[in-house]
Amino acid sequence: KTQWHQAGDATLRVVGVLLNKRVRGQDLGARYGGAEFVAVLEGATSAEAIRIADDIRATLERSPVDVGTAGRIHVSVSAGCAQLGDEMDISAGLSLADVWLSQAKRAGRNQVVGL
């Protein structure tokens, strides 16, 4: 692998560890695909989800990732948070979170957006 692939792999591992440390026992945190992760926070309000996502974002922002021979790099996270309503299935919730993620990226990245 090239040093950039190794750096990407190291970054994904760090984000995964942070996510799993931050979610609660009844929650689910997982890699969703590519460089995307998802957390399903059972019973959490949007405000709680945004706070947890922002804690992860801030921790990653202040903790350079060790990428082996390439040294240490600073990375950032953008996140979108959505709360499932009574009539909303997980697919609709993921779509809504993706809308907020796009908004976070358009607004300059390294931030958490949601309602």
Side-chain angles (χ1 to χ4, degrees):
K1 288 184 178 181
T2 68
Q3 82 178 31
W4 296 115
H5 282 111
Q6 292 171 340
D9 289 347
T11 301
L12 291 172
R13 281 191 298 277
V14 167
V15 173
V17 167
L18 286 173
L19 178 62
N20 285 322
K21 282 183 179 180
R22 192 57 186 89
V23 296
R24 306 162 302 175
Q26 72 271 25
D27 299 332
L28 169 70
R31 185 172 173 197
Y32 188 61
E36 293 185 2
F37 289 80
V38 64
V40 179
L41 308 173
E42 187 177 329
T45 65
S46 290
E48 290 169 324
I50 289 168
R51 183 178 43 77
I52 289 169
D54 199 52
D55 286 350
I56 293 168
R57 184 206 58 75
T59 299
L60 189 60
E61 180 181 38
R62 67 178 175 266
S63 305
V65 176
D66 183 353
V67 293
T69 58
R72 297 175 70 78
I73 60 172
H74 290 274
V75 296
S76 64
V77 170
S78 298
C81 295
Q83 185 172 358
L84 295 181
D86 292 334
E87 301 298 319
M88 187 183 296
D89 65 14
I90 190 73
S91 179
L94 289 170
S95 293
L96 183 56
D98 196 48
V99 169
W100 291 118
L101 171 60
S102 295
Q103 179 64 30
K105 290 177 178 180
R106 280 193 303 274
R109 302 187 180 266
N110 196 29
Q111 58 189 293
V112 178
V113 177
L115 280 181

